[in-house]
Amino acid sequence: PVPGVVFHYDLYRSQPFSYARVAGGYIAFVEARGRVRGDLEGVLTVRITQLLPAKPETFDYRMAHPLSIGARFTLQSGERVCEGAYAGTATPILDAGGNGEMRIQAVGRVYHVTPEFVDLFLNHVFVEDTVKTVEGEGTGATGTMSLKPHASFV
């Protein structure tokens, strides 16, 4: 087995979605926060950016295609802090009204740590989660984040 840190989380929107019109659709921003458990315990905050194509008034969400997402995250465990980013794909599994779930698979890196988390610096990040969706907007997520070493720290 590859050494590393694995934790599970339950996230809930901590701020409402905001949208801006861009060529061909919208860019959406949302922040989610929740507790983590597993190899680490603490609070995870995720700031998500997502590109959404323009949709007609009578859009059937069952026809939605996978979407690209990007996120920055902060994990705080006591005084220890770890920050990173990841990008990946959100695959919708929705009914016509936009209710159901989106499955997220993403990869990234840890780019900032406090001294107590030095072993996590530049770790690879692997994310798998499921977002509960109501009327096309995510309301919360459960998932797993794995942090795997980049190289030995000597």
Side-chain angles (χ1 to χ4, degrees):
V2 177
V5 173
V6 177
F7 56 88
H8 309 282
Y9 53 82
D10 297 299
L11 300 177
Y12 301 93
R13 275 197 321 222
S14 52
Q15 293 184 3
F17 275 88
S18 64
Y19 299 91
R21 192 174 235 341
V22 295
Y26 297 89
I27 188 167
F29 305 96
V30 68
E31 181 179 285
R33 180 174 293 151
R35 305 287 307 164
V36 300
R37 62 199 178 285
D39 292 344
L40 291 173
E41 293 187 8
V43 176
L44 179 65
T45 303
V46 181
R47 291 165 197 84
I48 302 156
T49 303
Q50 190 171 1
L51 289 175
L52 304 170
K55 64 180 191 256
E57 287 293 319
T58 58
F59 183 72
D60 183 338
Y61 281 91
R62 292 175 297 188
M63 307 305 290
H65 296 286
L67 304 167
S68 295
I69 66 156
R72 291 181 299 132
F73 68 87
T74 301
L75 170 63
Q76 184 158 6
S77 180
E79 296 299 314
R80 303 176 298 170
V81 176
C82 164
E83 294 178 335
Y86 58 83
T89 303
T91 304
I93 304 168
L94 305 171
D95 66 14
N99 304 304
E101 62 187 34
M102 297 211 330
R103 303 252 172 96
I104 310 292
Q105 289 188 311
V107 297
R109 294 297 279 270
V110 172
Y111 59 78
H112 171 78
V113 295
T114 55
E116 302 83 4
F117 268 161
V118 69
D119 291 345
L120 301 180
F121 185 59
L122 295 180
N123 273 203
H124 295 279
V125 176
F126 301 92
V127 174
E128 289 193 17
D129 70 21
T130 301
V131 178
K132 181 173 175 39
T133 306
V134 176
E135 296 179 356
E137 286 193 354
T139 60
T142 59
T144 301
M145 184 180 288
S146 302
L147 308 178
K148 302 294 182 184
H150 169 63
S152 296
F153 184 74
V154 181

